[in-house]
Every structure is written in structure tokens, then in C-alpha cells.
């Protein structure tokens, strides 16, 4: 049956330092009674808690209470409680027992493989994969499945999407013109490659913050610094100095929230209202980035030549040198002819009693022909043409969007009063967040010929240090979040006093310690979490669980989730058999309705039309234009790109159902699924086609009743509506692609 969608929805707005939690309605009603009902529904779920929201600070001072905040304390790995052998389960079940709850039973094998496939690759398993796993009686079948999925190249695509949400990845600049960022896609590909290779997370941090300052075997660390260039950019700011500090604020904001889980940006104009972060802390952090060359949307300060390896670079340099030699030789031949021309014209002038000297290029072709003679003049003309061609020629080379620093060393950094660049306060030097108790940084001496001042490496090393109390906690919380639907800390970008308290603080610290101990390996943490019983539980709980733990924060049962926007679109392509698994490269342009394009200031501006096979690639590779989003992604809550997006909202609203039923994209996909069924069941009965369609969409064997309903629907369409058998099959396929079971994972 088609998915049924209510006519409106609400969603919680994430909190930041000094900002209240709000409700963002999807509708026009603002009646007090409606809001009261909404709050009555939300408050029991723990999304808004009065006791977890400390009052604003009246004056700034770091107190012992501030320093005692759990996130600012060193990571302490307590031994797991006694109980289950798996350490994660020991922590989880101890908390369940404290609340008088019993865990749910294990999920079915069909649910487990579907859950694992979506969590690690973002794609559904085929019916054949489900059947094979269901029949695999080996005791390590589950572990084997996890290893196969972690080895899949699709793993980097799935988890790369999580990271791109965090770092506000987009391929355009925003504002009215929303021009294209040159080669921004290379950063996306870097992230995918790094995750597939299980690049240690501490190295991943260092490469993005200071890859240009690191020794490197290839250019991936350089590409990684595209991190700095991903934010919005106004190509025509009213005040360029304010725009410059806005760009630096974007970097401070993203760095603080993504790597440290702190809303440092709330201290740009004044001391942080909630967290013990002074305005001086903000500008000390900003000073690490102050020498970054302002973004100009391309050119030497924004782009660098990149190579697959040292050999490729040497080959390129040799070709450039060869071209320069050819140019020099060609220029020499032209010069020889011009010298002859000058001499002949000077002699000619002298014979007439003149003394003027002919300068190169100051004479006409007729004069040159007269001076050289016809045969030599033709060779001269050929030499000029050859030189012009060589000067116009260039050796092709790949380029990436990167960070560079301005010449002359880092400028002075001052606290800006009220954040105003025209009101400079005290001068500050680079420094770390004071409340964390870190020592003063040791800054390198700036060499006169060095392309950077080296400050970003100092910051990167501090953030990536095992001794930093936040870095490992923040990342393992994100890994947990994307496996269990919600982080142990429910505000993944805010571990400060205004953020949510961890549901399992001892477990969070134990996981952070393990993460460091395991070499900062993300794949090792996936194995750890997914082999726990907590991960393998059914999503079906008992009434007592629903009463005590309605949001499943205690994990007595596994939380069901809806697929993300990209997963929904990719799943549709998989079910219809049209997904193009090609990886990497520039973003592709999918068809967007003219009605949507008309909303641009210049309709259709900056949006291409890729071939059909390219349009069938994963949603990750769709060109990410800030002002123009394909409707199926927009409808299902694709991440905002103007700032870090730590979690996807899950709204329920009318355009979702309308788009899945009526859009040209879904109509086309339904036709493609019908073609697949006719191709795979050429001589089959309607029963076989219905069963195949349902198994492709749900990853299970449909019941006899479900098959009969599908056959009955098609027969009814033919007899009552007068449609052809092929058209009836297409309508049935449209119904299949609208099943709730297709877009939910339990």
C-alpha cells in the first residue's frame, strides 16, 4: 500500500550555545493550544529538558564547577559492569536493570542483514543475499557479513555522506549567483577513499586541518584542506572586512563543532552565555586560521596542481620543461628572422639617407617580405605561427580546491568588540580553549620562504591528541549515533553545558578509550558495536519499555528508523535494477522539474543535464548546489549545507507522499521496475512478477495473501479501468515503490 503521510509535522531545532530550543512548524497554525499539545508530546521524549538547560551567565568566569563538567574531564575508562560477555552489552543491560527493564529478543536474520547493509553501505541487500545469509549456519556468519560490508567500496560512500553533512559540503557558493566551487568534488572523493582505507581518525583530522603542512606520499592531504573552502561565499559583499571575518567564523564554527563538539562560535561577539568559553578564547582559536588566504573562487590561492603519485608529478614536470624548451627554440628562430629584418630595413633606410631603426614588430608584413625575400618570409611566417601555437599550448594537469596562506606571515589578531572589525580590542596570540586546561601552544618560527606559518599543525596536533578530552568522545558518539539512531549524547555537536547529558556516560568514556587504543580505527569500532546484542535486538518492545523509555534511549529494543533522503533514492534505483555503481568524479546533474528551476533568479542557471546512465549514480554524486536541490532529496530532509548538520531530521509532510506517487521520477522508476519484472520473468505468471517485485522492495519472501492482493490489483485495473496489462503492471510497481516497508529499517 502507498505510504500514508499526515498533513503537517514538527521537528526539534538543535541547540547552540546561548540559543533556546525551538519548535519549527510545517504549517501555518500557531494556536497556543496546538503548541501546548506539541510540548506535551515532546517533553516526555527528553528532547527538551529544563534541568539540562542552565541559565545564561551573568558574567564570565571559569569556576571549578565549570571545569568539573563531564566533557571537560579526562577520558576515564572504567571496567564494564559484570554481566554479559560483550562489554557494550554489560553497560547497556546494567542501565536497563536499573530501570527495571528487560531487553527485547534478537531480530530476525532478514532484519539484521537489512539493518547492517544500510548502516554500512547505505544500500539494501538483494533477495539472494538475504536468502544466503538466512541459510548460513556457521557460528561466525554475522561477523563474516560485517567484514564483507566493511570491505565494500560502498562503505566509504555511506559513511562519507555522514562526514560531508558535518563539514557543510557543497559544490557551490550560495547567495544569489550561487556559482560553482572549482573542483570541490575532489574533497568528497578524498573522504570516501580515506574511510574505505580506514585512515586513522587522528590522521584524518590532521590532514584536513593542516594537510599542506604535513610530509606526504601523495596529494590526498593537500586535497583534504579543501575543508576550509566548503563554506558559503558572497562574491559581492557590502563590507569586505566583515565578510572576511564571517569566513573565518565559518571555519572556527565548523572546527569547534565537528572536532570538539563545542559551540565556540557563540563567543564571537561576547563571552559565551552558557559555556565557560570567553570571547578571548574565540579569537585565540581564530588566530590559528588568520593567515589563510581569503577565498576567491579559484586561482593560485584556491587551487593546487595534484598528482596520483611522485612518478606522475615527475612526468608532468618533464613535459612542462619540454614545452618550455620548444617555446624557447621557436622564439629563437623567430628572433633570428626579426634580426635579419631589422638589419635589412635599417640598411634600406640608410641608403635613402635616413637613420631610423626598425624595432621588432613595428614593421608590416610587406616590409618583412621585402627585407627577407618571399621564400624566407614564408619560413618566418611559419615560425611565428608555430610559436603562437606553443605559447597557447598547456600541459593538462588535475587541480584541487585547497587552502593556502597569505605571504608575509600571520597578521595580528585582536578581540573584536561586539564582533565588529572596526572596534579592535586586546591583541591575542593563538591558544587553546582555556577551560580544558591545555598548556600554551608552542608556535613554530616562521621561515621567510615557508608557504605557511605552521600554526594550523599546532592546532591539529592538539585536537588529534589522545589527551584531548573531547575529540575521541565526540567521534565515538557520532559512530554510535549512526548505528543506533541517536548518540549517547543527544546533541552531537554540543558537548557543552547547554548540550544534552550522556545517557550512558561510563560507556561513552569506555568507547572513547577503546577508539584511541584501537589506533583511531573507525572500522574497528563498527565491528565492536555491531557484534553487541544491543545492536542485534528486535525493534519490537513490550508495553513497559514503551512507557518507561518511549524514545528507546536505553536501548532495550532497537530503534526503527526511516531511510535518509539519499538512501531512499538509491534504494529505488537498486530495486528497479538501474543503479550505476560508478564511483568518484565531478558531480552529476539529474533532471529537475521546470517548476523547480523557475524558482532561481535565472531559471536553470548552473544546472546541467547529465546522460541517463550518469543520472542513475548514487545520490552522493549528485552535484550539490546550495540553491537547487532535487525534490526527492529536499522532501525527505536532506542535510542543510550552509552549516554543520550533525543529525538528519525526520519530518512527515504532504510533499513526501505526493512526490512518491506523482513525480516524474517515480513514474519513470515504476516503469523501469515493470521492465525489470518482464525481463526477469518473461514467461512467468502475474504471481511470479508480484512476488519478485515485493521481495526486491522488502528483502523478504512475501506471503501468499500479499501476492494475491497484488495480482488482484492488476486484474482490477484492467477490468474496471480498462488499462493494458503492461500499464497495470506499472501501476502495481508504483504501489510497491511507495511501501512504508521499503523506506523504513527495523
Amino acid at each position: 500500500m502507498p505510504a500514508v503521510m499526515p498533513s503537517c509535522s514538527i521537528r526539534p531545532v538543535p541547540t547552540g550555545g546561548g540559543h533556546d530550543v525551538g519548535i519549527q512548524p510545517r504549517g501555518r497554525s500557531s494556536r497556543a493550544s496546538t503548541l501546548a499539545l506539541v510540548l506535551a508530546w515532546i517533553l516526555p521524549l527528553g528532547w527538551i529538558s529544563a534541568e539540562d538547560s542552565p541559565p545564561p551567565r551573568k558574567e564570565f568566569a571559569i569556576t571549578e564547577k565549570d571545569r568539573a563538567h563531564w566533557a571537560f574531564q579526562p577520558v576515564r575508562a572504567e571496567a564494564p559492569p559484570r554481566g554479559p560477555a560483550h562489554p557494550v552489552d554489560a553497560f547497556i543491560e546494567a542501565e536497563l536493570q536499573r530501570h527495571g527493564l528487560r531487553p527485547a529478543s534478537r531480530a530476525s536474520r532478514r532484519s539484521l542483514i537489512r539493518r547492517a547493509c544500510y548502516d554500512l553501505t547505505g544500500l539494501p541487500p538483494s533477495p539472494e543475499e538475504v536468502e544466503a545469509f538466512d541459510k548460513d549456519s556457521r557460528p561466525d556468519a554475522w561477523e563474516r557479513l560485517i567484514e564483507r560490508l566493511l570491505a565494500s567500496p560502498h562503505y566509504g560512500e555511506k559513511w562519507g555522506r555522514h562526514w560531508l553533512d558535518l563539514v557543510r559540503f557543497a559544490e557551490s557558493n550560495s547567495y544569489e549567483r550561487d556559482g560553482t566551487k572549482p573542483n570541490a568534488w575532489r574533497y568528497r572523493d578524498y573522504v570516501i577513499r580515506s574511510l574505505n582505507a580506514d585512515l586513522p581518525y587522528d590522521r584524518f583530522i590532521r590532514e584536513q586541518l593542516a594537510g599542506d603542512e604535513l610530509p606526504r606520499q601523495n596529494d590526498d592531504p593537500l586535497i583534504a584542506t579543501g575543508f576550509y573552502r566548503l563554506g558559503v561565499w558572497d562574491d559581492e559583499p557590502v563590507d569586505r572586512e566583515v565578510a572576511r571575518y564571517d569566513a573565518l567564523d565559518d571555519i572556527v564554527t565548523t572546527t569547534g563543532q565537528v572536532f570538539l563538539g563545542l559551540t565556540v562560535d557563540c563567543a564571537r561577539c561576547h563571552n559565551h552565555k552558557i559555556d565557560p568559553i570567553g570571547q578571548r578564547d574565540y579569537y585565540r582559536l581564530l588566530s590559528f586560521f588568520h593567515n589563510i588566504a581569503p577565498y576567491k573562487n579559484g586561482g593560485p590561492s584556491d587551487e593546487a596542481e595534484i598528482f596520483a603519485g611522485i612518478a606522475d608529478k615527475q612526468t608532468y614536470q618533464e613535459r612542462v620543461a619540454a614545452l618550455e624548451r620548444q617555446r624557447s627554440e621557436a622564439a629563437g628562430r623567430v628572433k633570428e628572422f626579426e634580426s635579419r629584418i631589422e638589419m635589412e630595413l635599417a640598411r634600406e633606410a640608410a641608403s635613402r639617407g635616413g637613420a631610423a631603426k626598425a624595432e621588432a614588430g613595428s614593421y608590416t608584413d610587406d616590409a618583412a617580405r621585402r627585407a627577407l625575400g618571399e621564400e624566407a618570409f614564408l619560413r618566418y611566417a611559419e615560425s611565428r605561427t608555430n610559436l603562437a601555437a606553443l605559447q597557447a599550448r598547456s600541459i593538462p594537469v588535475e587541480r584541487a580546491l585547497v587552502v593556502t596562506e597569505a605571504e608575509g606571515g600571520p597578521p595580528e589578531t585582536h578581540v573584536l568588540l561586539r564582533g565588529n572589525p572596526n572596534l579592535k580590542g586586546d591583541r591575542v596570540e593563538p591558544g587553546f580553549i582555556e577551560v580544558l586546561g591545555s598548556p600554551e601552544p608552542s608556535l613554530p618560527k616562521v621561515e621567510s620562504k615557508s608557504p605557511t606559518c605552521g600554526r594550523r599543525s599546532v592546532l591539529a596536533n592538539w585536537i588529534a591528541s589522545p589527551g584531548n578530552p573531547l575529540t575521541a568522545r565526540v567521534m565515538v558518539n557520532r559512530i554510535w549515533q549512526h548505528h543506533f539512531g541517536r548518540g549517547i549524547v543527544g546533541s552531537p555537536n554540543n558537548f557543552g553545558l547547554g548540550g544534552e547529558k550522556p545517557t550512558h556516560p561510563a560507556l561513552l568514556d569506555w568507547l572513547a578509550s577503546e577508539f584511541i587504543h584501537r589506533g583511531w580505527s573507525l572500522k574497528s569500532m563498527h565491528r565492536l558495536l555491531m557484534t553487541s546484542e544491543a545492536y542485534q535486538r528486535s525493534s519490537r518492545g513490550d508495553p513497559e519499555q514503551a512507557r518507561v523509555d518511549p524514545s528507546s534511549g536505553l536501548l532495550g529494543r532497537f530503534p526503527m528508523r526511516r531511510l535518509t533522503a539519499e538512501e531512499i533514492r538509491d534504494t529505488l534505483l537498486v530495486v528497479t535494477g538501474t543503479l550505476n555503481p560508478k564511483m568518484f568524479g565531478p558531480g552529476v546533474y539529474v533532471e529537475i522539474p521546470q517548476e523547480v528551476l523557475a524558482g532561481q533568479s535565472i531559471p536553470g542557471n548552473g544546472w546541467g543535464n547529465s546522460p541517463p546512465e550518469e543520472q542513475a549514480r548514487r545520490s552522493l554524486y549528485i552535484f550539490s548546489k546550495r540553491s537547487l536541490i532535487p525534490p526527492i532529496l529536499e522532501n525527505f530532509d536532506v542535510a542543510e549545507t550552509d552549516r554543520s548538520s550533525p543529525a538528519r531530521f525526520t519530518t512527515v509532510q504532504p510533499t513526501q507522499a505526493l512526490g512518491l506517487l506523482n513525480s516524474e521520477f517515480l513514474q519513470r522508476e515504476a516503469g523501469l521496475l515493470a521492465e525489470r519484472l518482464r525481463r526477469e520473468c518473461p514467461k512467468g505468471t502475474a504471481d511470479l512478477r508480484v512476488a519478485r517485485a515485493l521481495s526486491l522492495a522488502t528483502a523478504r519472501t512475501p506471503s501468499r495473501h500479499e501476492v494475491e492482493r497484488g495480482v488482484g490489483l492488476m486484474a482490477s485495473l484492467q477490468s474496471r479501468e480498462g488499462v493494458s496489462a503492461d500499464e497495470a503492471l506499472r501501476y502495481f510497481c508504483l504501489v510497491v515503490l511507495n511501501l512504508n516497508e521499503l523506506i523504513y529499517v527495523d
Side-chain angles (χ1 to χ4, degrees), residues 209 212-213 228-229 244-245 247-248 251-252 283-296 301-302 402-414 430 444-457 459:
L209 293 179
D212 56 323
E213 298 179 346
Y228 289 102
R229 305 305 199 188
R244 173 171 170 261
Y245 277 96
L248 290 169
I251 293 170
V252 172
Y283 286 98
R284 294 185 75 195
L285 194 61
L286 182 146
S287 65
F288 283 108
F289 309 115
H290 208 170
N291 203 41
I292 288 175
Y295 178 68
K296 297 178 181 178
S301 64
D302 291 334
V402 301
V403 76
T404 59
E405 292 195 9
E407 296 180 356
E412 290 185 354
T413 302
H414 293 263
K445 181 180 179 181
V446 181
E447 302 294 336
S448 59
K449 295 183 179 180
S450 175
T452 74
C453 65
R455 290 182 172 185
R456 287 177 287 111
S457 289
L459 176 66

Side-chain angles (χ1 to χ4, degrees), residues 107-185:
S108 68
R109 304 205 90 184
R110 175 260 176 188
S111 293
L112 287 177
I113 185 173
R114 194 164 181 264
R115 184 183 299 172
C117 285
Y118 274 118
D119 277 8
L120 292 182
T121 70
L123 298 172
S126 68
E128 293 74 21
E129 288 177 305
V130 175
E131 183 179 4
F133 178 66
D134 195 43
K135 292 180 178 179
D136 191 344
S137 59
R138 291 174 294 184
D140 62 345
W142 177 241
E143 288 77 7
R144 287 173 177 267
L145 172 65
I146 294 171
E147 291 303 319
R148 177 171 67 82
L149 296 175
L150 288 174
S152 167
H154 296 310
Y155 163 79
E157 294 175 322
K158 165 65 178 179
W159 281 78
R161 180 66 267 175
H162 293 321
W163 188 258
L164 296 178
D165 284 4
L166 290 171
V167 297
R168 82 276 190 234
F169 173 80
E171 297 175 78
S172 69
N173 295 317
S174 191
Y175 293 92
E176 182 180 0
R177 278 177 283 273
D178 200 17
T180 298
K181 288 182 180 293
N183 297 306
W185 58 269

